[in-house]
Amino acid sequence: MAEPNEHQTSTDRMHAEVSRIFAEIARMNAEQNKLNKESLKITCETFWYPVGIATGFYAAVGTVIVVAQKLFS
């Protein structure tokens, strides 16, 4: 009788270990998704900040040119 009980205990331990491993994999996948989203956000910011600065610069230069033309005309 001791052998089937030991087998059941061993099986239960293996199932618990497998469940723990699956939970760890799910946690790691969630962490990876979070990091991928953050990486995408940083990539977008890296592109759009210089575009915004360049647009502001061109608008400022254009405004100075228009004001200069009105003053000297």
Side-chain angles (χ1 to χ4, degrees):
M1 285 271 179
E3 189 174 304
N5 191 18
E6 288 176 16
H7 179 68
Q8 181 65 30
T9 304
S10 175
T11 303
D12 288 345
R13 282 187 200 151
M14 285 189 341
H15 285 297
E17 185 68 18
V18 168
S19 295
R20 186 189 66 76
I21 290 171
F22 279 140
E24 185 71 17
I25 289 170
R27 186 189 66 76
M28 287 181 176
N29 283 336
E31 183 77 18
Q32 182 180 14
N33 288 337
K34 177 183 167 188
L35 292 173
N36 284 339
K37 288 178 186 177
E38 189 69 24
S39 175
L40 179 62
K41 178 182 169 187
I42 290 170
T43 301
C44 288
E45 288 174 354
T46 302
F47 173 76
W48 285 111
Y49 280 137
V51 170
I53 290 169
T55 302
F57 176 74
Y58 287 128
V61 169
T63 303
V64 168
I65 290 172
V66 168
V67 169
Q69 283 179 345
K70 290 194 185 248
L71 285 175
F72 296 118
S73 297

